[in-house]
Structure formats: C-alpha cells, structure tokens
Amino acid sequence: MLKSSKRLIGKSILAGLVASALGISPAIAQNYPNKPITLIAPYAAGGDSDFSGRNLAAVASKLIGQPVVVQNVVGASGTIGSQKVSAAPPDGYTLLVSRGGSQAIVPALDSKTPYKWNDFTMISLLDFNPVVCVVKNDAPYKTMKDLIDAIRANPGKLNYATAGPGTTQHLAVEVMLSQLGLPSTAAMMIPYKGGGEATTALLGGQVQFICNNLTTMVGQIKGGAMRALVTSTPNRLKDFPDVPTAKEMGIGNLEQVMGWSGLYGPPGLPAEVVNKWQAVLKEVAKDPAWLRGNDTVGAIPAIRSPQDTEKFAREQFELYSKLGTQLNLKK
C-alpha cells in the first residue's frame, strides 16, 4: 500500500511538473473550458477565415458550453494573427483559424516568417475551398480564354486582387501565368488585407480580375455581380455547371492551389484540450446548421483527426515549397 501511494504521488508530481512547463495546471485542462474562447481569424472580416471561424463558433459555442468569440487579427498575409496564437498560453482559450495561405504558403515561400508550418498544435481541418477566377459582370471578358488573351496582348496592364503576397489568390495567378509561359509581371498584383476586401476591390472596379476561394464570392456569382470563368476543381461545380475546369482551359496546374481552413492551437496544447475539441468537432461535422453554412458558400466539409491534419499540412507545405522553387518565388 505504501509503495502504491508513493507511485501515485510520484505520478502526480510528474504531471504537475509537465503541466507547469506548459504554463497550465492539470486542473485547468480537466475543467476546460470554464470561460469564453477566442478564435482568431488572421484575415479581414468577410474572408474565408472569417467565414470558417464564425460558422464553427455558432455551433461550437452551444456544444462546448462557453462562448466562442471570433476576433479578426489582420496583416502581413495572415502572419500577425497566426503569430499571436503561436505565442499564446497553451490553455485552449486562444485558438486559430488556420489557413492554407498563412500556415503553408507563407512559411514555404518566406524564410523570414516568424513561425514554422508546424509551430502549432493541430486540432483538425475544417473545410476546403475551391479557387475560382472571376471578373466583374460588365467586364469585356466573357470566357477564361478572353481574359488570357487580354493578359497576353497587354502585359502588365491588367491588375488582380489578393489578400497579400504568398496567399492562395497570389499563388493561383502565379501558377496560371507560369503554365501559360508568361512572367509574373504579365498581370499586376494589388494586395489587400483579406479575401473580402479583395473581392470588394473587384466589384469597385479597382482590379480587373481575381482568383479567389469560392466561399468568399459565391453570393456575388449567384447574384450576377461577378462572372466566374474557371474553377480549380477536377470536375465542374454542381452549382455552376457552366464554369469550365482549369484542365479544360489548359491550365490544369491550377488544381494544385486550394484554400482550406483548420483549427490550430498554440504549441504544447494539452491532450485534454485537443480531445475535448475532437469530441466537439465530431458533433459539429453532423450539425445541420454547420453543414448548411458550408453548402451556402460552396465550402467542402473536411473535419479530420489531429494526425491526418498534420499529414495534410505537411503535404501542403511541401507542395508550396516545391512550387516556390519552380516559380522562383522564395525569399
């Protein structure tokens, strides 16, 4: 009995030391959550990270028993908000809506990024976002061929909007231009704070086209304010059967570029917190409101295990690192 008690005491002390090293106590992890959770979207309101965060928060708040509050922390292609989470206490009260741009593309292309692709605790993927290239409804470009011909005929004259260098919107155009045998300067990038602002810039006539995630633009496309010219999906979209695929238009490499959202935490997030969120996300994945939200904007549900999320994130980082080398985009 005495030896057993000593072993239990020893384990308790060890658990306490480990928890202290992580900056939290075992009791806090076991009682998680007992206060509101901040979910940082690293791009501007109206963009894909904002949508994914709010679509999740609306359902998760009810399931997890505490308010989940979305906070937009924008700037530097999503790295400011991402860095804030990577430096946050690992207690589960500050989480990140991870994005392909901020978590894979930027770290792959820019050696000065203040974090690495895996400097986070990966909880799950949330959704995938096809990329669609669009123009304003009154633009003279009726097809993707029209737009490509205009870029060839007027190199450097047409502008396109992005959420910043190294984002999905930027890389999609770079991949397209490269496959067409055109330099990066054939079309000029105009950076904005987020996908929502980039979309607004197109509607305002500040740029001629944008290759953005469908989730940000589906309402304007369905409403007729924008004309979709091509999709990055292997097959035509069910809601937009008249929009040709990238492969049909001779720019099949565009399929490599896809937007996505995930749920990340700071490094060292306790297993109890990760497991809590995994249990919540299993219910989220079946929730009609969450599914309906994704369907409304053309997002594809993609909730995964932490292990599958890390595997996917690694593959994305390696893909963009390779693309960056091929396209001479690394710095």
Side-chain angles (χ1 to χ4, degrees), residues 40-113:
I40 290 180
Y43 295 97
D48 299 293
S49 66
D50 186 63
F51 161 76
S52 293
R54 295 184 191 282
N55 195 33
L56 173 63
V59 177
S61 293
K62 302 172 185 177
L63 295 170
I64 206 164
Q66 289 289 340
V68 179
V69 181
V70 176
Q71 179 183 1
N72 298 91
V73 180
V74 306
S77 300
T79 61
I80 293 177
S82 299
Q83 186 178 18
K84 183 173 181 177
V85 175
S86 71
D91 56 12
Y93 291 101
T94 304
L95 301 176
L96 174 71
V97 180
S98 57
R99 287 295 301 174
S102 51
Q103 268 54 65
I105 298 177
V106 176
L109 301 185
D110 189 351
S111 60
K112 294 182 180 178
T113 304

Side-chain angles (χ1 to χ4, degrees), residues 190-263:
I190 308 296
Y192 295 87
K193 290 182 179 179
E197 288 192 13
T199 300
T200 300
L202 178 70
L203 292 172
Q206 298 168 30
V207 297
Q208 283 72 55
F209 73 100
I210 181 174
C211 293
N212 201 359
N213 297 313
L214 177 61
T215 46
T216 303
M217 308 183 297
V218 65
Q220 290 90 343
I221 297 172
K222 287 183 175 180
M226 293 180 177
R227 182 184 303 123
L229 304 180
V230 70
T231 172
S232 69
T233 50
N235 301 305
R236 293 197 179 198
L237 297 163
K238 66 176 183 178
D239 287 348
F240 303 100
D242 295 332
V243 179
T245 67
K247 193 171 293 183
E248 290 178 84
M249 296 308 303
I251 47 175
N253 287 352
L254 192 60
E255 288 184 11
Q256 300 174 90
V257 184
M258 175 177 60
W260 54 269
S261 294
L263 182 64

Side-chain angles (χ1 to χ4, degrees), residues 42 74 112 125 163 270 272 278 296 322 328:
V74 306
K112 294 182 180 178
L125 292 174
E272 291 89 347
Q278 274 289 304
T296 299
K322 182 179 179 181
N328 196 30

Side-chain angles (χ1 to χ4, degrees), residues 129-146:
N129 318 120
V131 168
V132 177
C133 295
V134 304
V135 294
K136 199 177 174 184
N137 62 347
D138 59 358
Y141 322 111
K142 305 300 182 184
T143 66
M144 193 64 195
K145 182 179 183 303
D146 291 343

Side-chain angles (χ1 to χ4, degrees), residues 299-321:
I300 302 168
I303 288 174
R304 301 286 189 274
S305 69
Q307 294 76 21
D308 287 343
T309 299
E310 183 169 1
K311 179 176 181 292
F312 175 81
R314 179 187 294 276
E315 290 171 350
Q316 284 282 287
F317 172 78
E318 291 173 350
L319 166 67
Y320 291 120
S321 182

Side-chain angles (χ1 to χ4, degrees), residues 281-312:
L281 290 170
K282 284 182 180 179
E283 298 303 313
V284 169
K286 300 181 289 186
D287 187 271
W290 185 77
L291 292 169
R292 189 164 53 250
N294 282 302
D295 191 53
T296 299
V297 298
I300 302 168
I303 288 174
R304 301 286 189 274
S305 69
Q307 294 76 21
D308 287 343
T309 299
E310 183 169 1
K311 179 176 181 292
F312 175 81

